[in-house]
Amino acid sequence: MQKQKMYAAINIGGFAIGIAACILISIYIRNETSYDQTNRNKENVYRVLGKMTMAGTTFYGTSFQPPMSKALLSDFPQVKKAGRIMHNRLFGGTENQIRRTDQVNNNYEAGFCFADSSTLDILDIPMVYGSNITALKAPNTVVICKSLADKYFPKQNPIGKTLIFNNNTQKPLTIGGVMQDFPANSHMQFRGFISLSGLGFWDGEQESWYSSNYGIYLQMNPGVDIDAFSKKMSDHILDEYVIPSMKQNGQANTAEVRKNAHLILQPLTDIYLKSYNIEEDHIKHGDARFIWLFAGIAGFILILACINFLNLSTARSANRAREVGVRKVIGSTRANLIRQFLTESLLYSFFSFVLGVVLAASALPVFNNVAGTQLALPWMEWWLLPALISSAIVIGLIAGIYPAFYLSYFKPATTLKGSISMGTRNSGLRSGLVIFQFTVSIVLIIGTAVIFKQMQYILNSKIGFDKEQVVTIEGADALGPQTAAFKAELLNLPFVKNVTVSDFLPINSTKRNGNSFYNEGREKQDAPIRSQHWVIDENYLATLGIKLSDGRNFRTDMPTDSQATIVNRSMVKQLGLKNPLGKVITNGYEHLTIIGVVDDFYYESLKQQVEPLVMILGNSNSMVSVKLKSSDMRAAIAAINSTWKQFQPHQTMRYDFLDQSYAAMYSDVKSTQYIFTGFSVLAIVVACLGLFALAAFMAEQRSKEVSIRKVLGASVTNLFALLTGNFLKLVLISLVIAIPIGWLAMNKWLEDYVYRIQLSWDIFAISGIIVIIIALVTVCWQAVSAALVNPIKNLRSE
């Protein structure tokens, strides 16, 4: 290390970077795979999933009919317990304005859902006060988490006390229990559960098999064959309940549903990581594919560092050949030499692990910020030190085993005569490893470029509505009958261009309402059209800049518009209407005349096809959206807040910007982009460290050759080409290998998006140019230095 400081620094630094990346990804994977492991009954707890195949596409869902859980419990002895949750924003309860009965100021609290009392027991939710078996049995009860209990009833047992939700003084909720706050590694992050006991969202809703809004959790008896049970459960529920209900309601596609619909059970411990393909799953989840992708990338970075060690060790074999020869002459055996070189490799590995841990600890806050996690290095865990030591030994042995056997093989007579040096200038193995390093680096750069370009496409593409300068005010349902007056006051403000009152917005954190529609009179002949059913006001289209392509907007002075609808182009297409204006469509209880058609706009992620949309005139007033015409946002927000205070002095105004909410829909893509970029940079750095050291060594080895060529008339340009040509050739070979790999990998990634960029040649050309420039910059300093040196200096000894 003292004699070869640069090589030692490059080996240790490269190892440390790879080790730091592996440590970060290891604790990330450990956290991601730890979800829902604390439930004592986790081996027997499942979530019900629906699987439906239509037109060759398979959909998964988690919303089911209200009576299904009771049917499963009563009809199947294999089911020990069944419970429901319902966190559909359509019915409220997820976000609330809460206060104690003896207070007047409301506090905004998110993270609630409706649930059966049995759900708390199935999920093994630990309680601070009360029992998770009985806490929600009574109607109008609520279970809150400990942090909320401490906020509203500090240092008290709040069971039996009441809270006012959303100014509904007629039905205060009684606290039936206090649960522990959910740990960060739970797929559920609710802060409170409102009892479903005695609750119905419309007359007959709890007995209806025609609407699907409830998630169902089952605790099975031990020893049940889940695959066989799922098949039996699916057939029974469809044949006994779902299909008869569809026939009763006159649906024509019962045969298709019976053939293509299935119920399956998803293990509790799979919910977090294996729900990325489930539609309308509002529960927190990760993505197992990304975990193993990042693990693979981190592993590749470490492999690149090991390759550096192997390359430099074998390249420098000429420098150590005489050492090996002398050691063998004075009595060292090959086993002694192997032990010596492996010990050196282990020392490099141990030094690298110390530096790698320091780098990982330093980079962890940045990683948390990018990945949206709250990870910490497990300093106090008993296994950490043994894991680091054993990993250092394994990596040291892997990196050093080939150089140890290679160097110890030299014969004393050959090495002491110096003839070994000529055979070490070019190595097929070294060239192959350099190609591997740059192939990995180029694939990562291609991946980064594609993800960046797709992200820019998402954020800057024409989405069919105007998201700029729109302020969304949440919790506006607290205004009650004053909503119209509040809207009128906002329209009088000089900063305000337009105002709409609707919970349904083209961002996926707002209300959704799926319905089935038919052309009137075709209910028994046609399959239903799956559509969204939104309630909007007359200012909705103008506020959001949604264009009418046909017909007219809603008018409040026309009573017939209460039975009218505006639909999107996708709805017109699926209904098969050539002249849609004046046509009547129905969902079974509404008969709506089409008065307008809007161009398709993206109201969900670009990963999904734009689905049919039906909009009706009405009240859906928990959210107010304000289109501003001023660039002075601070003054505009202050004026809106002042108006809010006139109507709601006891409730803080909560607001957001529509463009920021839209961007937040793609936070996972942005995180992937940042992580890919970071890993790509690390891979390039490690590969270039090795290339730099290799170039320096080759320049040193060929110093006399370069000097002789210079004396014989070679120019600096000729010598530069001589010293860089081989490396450039290797990078070009890497590029040829990496391009098809990158194309296949990123084409697969883009399959998740219905609306996506095309993989054009410029992405690969730019990636190749970047790598070639980086490689040339890395080796050119050494090449130029060698070409400019005075030849007398190198030839004097001759």
Side-chain angles (χ1 to χ4, degrees):
M1 290 181 181
Q2 286 181 335
K3 289 180 179 178
Q4 302 289 343
K5 292 183 177 65
M6 183 186 74
Y7 298 116
I10 287 173
N11 276 329
I12 292 173
F15 265 141
I17 291 172
I19 289 161
C22 286
I23 288 173
L24 290 175
I25 291 300
S26 294
I27 60 175
Y28 175 69
I29 292 175
R30 180 172 177 266
N31 177 71
E32 293 290 284
T33 55
S34 70
Y35 273 71
D36 301 308
Q37 296 294 329
T38 57
N39 189 312
R40 290 172 294 182
N41 304 310
K42 61 179 181 289
E43 293 85 2
N44 297 311
V45 175
Y46 297 85
R47 180 172 70 164
V48 180
L49 292 183
K51 178 182 177 183
M52 181 71 177
T53 303
M54 297 174 61
T57 303
T58 300
F59 303 92
Y60 293 88
T62 60
S63 297
F64 298 98
Q65 298 87 346
M68 184 184 287
S69 65
K70 286 184 180 179
L72 290 170
L73 188 61
S74 62
D75 295 357
F76 294 100
Q78 299 94 326
V79 178
K80 185 176 182 179
K81 297 171 186 172
R84 303 171 299 169
I85 66 167
M86 203 271 277
H87 48 98
N88 189 333
R89 290 174 61 104
L90 186 65
F91 301 103
T94 58
E95 297 175 336
N96 302 280
Q97 302 293 335
I98 299 176
R99 70 176 189 267
R100 284 172 37 162
T101 52
D102 58 347
Q103 296 176 343
V104 294
N105 290 328
N106 288 318
N107 296 298
Y108 168 72
E109 306 292 356
F112 281 76
C113 80
F114 297 97
D116 291 322
S117 187
S118 56
T119 304
L120 307 186
D121 185 29
I122 292 169
L123 296 176
D124 192 29
I125 295 174
M127 304 294 288
V128 180
Y129 300 110
S131 165
N132 59 13
I133 299 175
T134 60
L136 292 178
K137 276 195 174 294
N140 299 321
T141 54
V142 62
V143 168
I144 59 176
C145 64
K146 188 176 185 301
S147 59
L148 280 180
D150 291 341
K151 178 178 178 179
Y152 288 94
F153 303 97
K155 299 180 181 179
Q156 299 179 52
N157 178 349
I159 289 182
K161 299 185 183 297
T162 55
L163 292 170
I164 304 295
F165 276 57
N166 304 313
N167 292 326
N168 188 355
T169 56
Q170 301 301 313
K171 286 187 177 181
L173 297 183
T174 302
I175 298 174
V178 176
M179 63 182 179
Q180 293 283 5
D181 288 70
F182 279 101
N185 60 348
S186 170
H187 79 279
M188 282 195 172
Q189 292 297 312
F190 297 116
R191 303 175 69 210
F193 293 97
I194 301 170
S195 176
L196 281 168
S197 178
L199 192 63
F201 294 98
W202 63 83
D203 289 341
E205 183 255 350
Q206 289 295 302
E207 291 75 41
S208 170
W209 284 88
Y210 198 62
S211 64
S212 300
N213 295 301
Y214 294 84
I216 299 176
Y217 288 81
L218 303 179
Q219 182 178 339
M220 307 297 293
N221 287 311
V224 174
D225 184 334
I226 296 301
D227 291 336
F229 173 79
S230 295
K231 175 69 168 61
K232 185 176 180 182
M233 170 186 69
S234 184
D235 291 342
H236 179 77
I237 294 296
L238 287 169
D239 291 337
E240 297 297 323
Y241 301 105
V242 176
I243 299 302
S245 175
M246 292 176 66
K247 290 180 178 178
Q248 184 179 348
N249 284 279
Q251 285 190 242
N253 64 329
T254 55
E256 181 185 4
V257 171
R258 183 62 186 88
K259 178 182 177 182
N260 297 317
H262 306 278
L263 296 177
I264 55 179
L265 295 184
Q266 181 183 35
L268 175 69
T269 51
D270 284 354
I271 292 175
Y272 176 73
L273 281 180
K274 299 181 180 179
S275 298
Y276 49 81
N277 58 348
I278 297 175
E279 287 195 347
E280 298 180 6
D281 181 16
H282 304 292
I283 289 175
K284 174 185 177 183
H285 60 76
D287 192 330
R289 300 170 300 176
F290 287 150
I291 287 179
W292 302 118
L293 173 64
F294 296 149
I297 294 172
F300 273 124
I301 293 174
L302 187 57
I303 291 171
L304 299 186
C306 292
I307 288 172
N308 282 348
F309 184 87
L310 193 155
N311 265 350
L312 295 179
S313 297
T314 55
R316 291 172 53 236
S317 59
N319 292 357
R320 304 200 69 173
R322 287 190 178 85
E323 175 194 343
V324 171
V326 171
R327 287 181 180 275
K328 283 192 173 183
V329 167
I330 61 175
S332 287
T333 64
R334 191 180 183 197
N336 296 140
L337 292 169
I338 289 172
R339 279 195 295 271
Q340 176 200 334
F341 292 128
L342 284 178
T343 302
E344 290 180 12
S345 176
L346 288 170
L347 280 173
Y348 276 114
S349 182
F350 277 109
F351 284 129
S352 301
F353 260 84
V354 173
L355 181 57
V357 171
V358 172
L359 290 176
S362 302
L364 189 56
V366 177
F367 184 87
N368 280 332
N369 185 49
V370 169
T373 55
Q374 295 179 338
L375 304 177
L377 284 169
W379 299 112
M380 305 308 294
E381 297 283 353
W382 66 268
W383 50 264
L384 180 63
L385 189 59
L388 290 175
I389 292 173
S390 58
S391 298
I393 293 171
V394 171
I395 291 173
L397 291 174
I398 290 173
I401 195 163
Y402 177 80
F405 277 88
Y406 178 75
L407 294 172
S408 64
Y409 179 75
F410 293 154
K411 293 179 172 58
T414 306
T415 58
L416 293 176
K417 284 192 293 184
S419 59
I420 193 72
S421 62
M422 294 300 293
T424 58
R425 289 182 189 166
N426 297 299
S427 166
L429 175 63
R430 280 201 304 278
S431 297
L433 294 176
V434 169
I435 290 170
F436 175 80
Q437 284 185 309
F438 276 90
T439 298
V440 171
S441 300
I442 293 166
V443 170
L444 290 177
I445 290 175
I446 290 171
T448 300
V450 171
I451 293 170
F452 175 79
K453 200 168 181 179
Q454 177 67 14
M455 191 69 192
Q456 293 305 113
Y457 173 78
I458 288 170
L459 295 179
N460 299 315
S461 60
K462 293 181 180 180
I463 54 178
F465 67 94
D466 184 6
K467 62 183 184 296
E468 306 301 327
Q469 290 190 301
V470 177
V471 178
T472 55
I473 303 170
E474 301 181 23
D477 48 346
L479 294 165
Q482 295 181 300
T483 304
F486 176 67
K487 176 182 175 181
E489 287 294 321
L490 290 178
L491 287 169
N492 288 330
L493 295 176
F495 301 101
V496 174
K497 185 177 182 180
N498 219 322
V499 180
T500 183
V501 180
S502 177
D503 310 89
F504 297 89
L505 292 176
I507 49 175
N508 61 13
S509 59
T510 55
K511 279 187 179 180
R512 293 293 181 265
N513 182 19
N515 268 214
S516 295
F517 280 89
Y518 305 83
N519 285 306
E520 189 179 47
R522 300 287 302 176
E523 294 92 328
K524 294 185 179 181
Q525 290 81 30
D526 297 338
I529 303 301
R530 180 182 175 186
S531 171
Q532 280 292 307
H533 184 212
W534 291 9
V535 178
I536 66 172
D537 67 7
E538 71 280 8
N539 299 103
Y540 186 90
L541 302 183
T543 303
L544 297 182
I546 298 172
K547 304 296 184 185
L548 268 168
S549 60
D550 203 1
R552 64 174 177 85
N553 192 14
F554 292 119
R555 291 175 53 181
T556 54
D557 60 348
M558 295 188 67
T560 55
D561 276 9
S562 62
Q563 297 297 316
T565 181
I566 297 173
V567 299
N568 67 353
R569 280 287 163 200
S570 290
M571 188 66 177
V572 172
K573 183 178 179 181
Q574 292 209 26
L575 288 170
L577 300 175
K578 292 184 178 179
N579 300 300
L581 298 184
K583 298 293 192 298
V584 179
I585 61 174
T586 181
N587 55 6
Y589 56 91
E590 292 175 307
H591 296 268
L592 304 171
T593 302
I594 298 175
I595 62 168
V597 178
V598 296
D599 291 332
D600 284 342
F601 60 94
Y602 300 112
Y603 59 84
E604 297 290 2
S605 165
L606 268 71
K607 292 182 179 181
Q608 302 173 25
Q609 187 81 33
V610 175
E611 291 188 347
L613 174 62
V614 172
M615 294 176 282
I616 63 170
L617 183 65
N619 295 316
S620 182
N621 60 350
S622 70
M623 191 170 288
V624 174
S625 300
V626 185
K627 178 70 172 181
L628 302 177
K629 56 184 177 183
S630 169
S631 59
D632 189 351
M633 285 293 172
R634 181 172 297 182
I637 295 298
I640 294 170
N641 188 53
S642 177
T643 306
W644 173 268
K645 284 296 183 185
Q646 296 173 25
F647 289 86
Q648 283 295 310
H650 302 302
Q651 182 171 312
T652 302
M653 185 183 81
R654 294 182 296 107
Y655 69 92
D656 204 348
F657 294 96
L658 189 63
D659 57 344
Q660 294 179 2
S661 299
Y662 179 82
M665 290 167 57
Y666 302 97
S667 58
D668 59 332
V669 183
K670 188 162 282 189
S671 295
T672 303
Q673 175 191 332
Y674 290 150
I675 292 173
F676 239 94
T677 302
F679 280 145
S680 298
V681 170
L682 290 179
I684 285 288
V685 167
V686 172
C688 287
L689 283 174
L691 191 63
F692 178 81
L694 211 53
F697 181 78
M698 291 305 175
E700 178 189 341
Q701 287 290 94
R702 303 182 73 172
S703 60
K704 288 185 174 63
E705 175 191 345
V706 169
S707 297
I708 292 171
R709 287 178 180 272
K710 195 168 185 180
V711 168
L712 295 175
S715 66
V716 172
T717 305
N718 297 141
L719 296 173
F720 179 82
L722 173 71
L723 293 171
T724 60
N726 187 55
F727 292 117
L728 187 59
K729 190 187 303 179
L730 298 179
V731 172
L732 290 173
I733 293 172
S734 301
L735 190 59
V736 171
I737 297 171
I739 285 176
I741 296 174
W743 186 88
L744 289 171
M746 298 321 297
N747 196 54
K748 182 70 176 175
W749 181 77
L750 286 170
E751 285 179 359
D752 279 347
Y753 293 88
V754 174
Y755 305 97
R756 46 174 279 185
I757 63 169
Q758 295 300 314
L759 292 178
S760 54
W761 65 268
D762 60 304
I763 294 174
F764 303 98
I766 292 170
S767 300
I769 291 169
I770 290 171
V771 172
I772 290 170
I773 291 172
I774 290 172
L776 283 175
V777 169
T778 301
V779 301
C780 73
W781 186 79
Q782 296 290 349
V784 171
S785 298
L788 292 176
V789 74
N790 188 341
I792 297 173
K793 182 179 178 181
N794 290 327
L795 298 175
R796 181 175 294 153
S797 62
E798 300 295 331

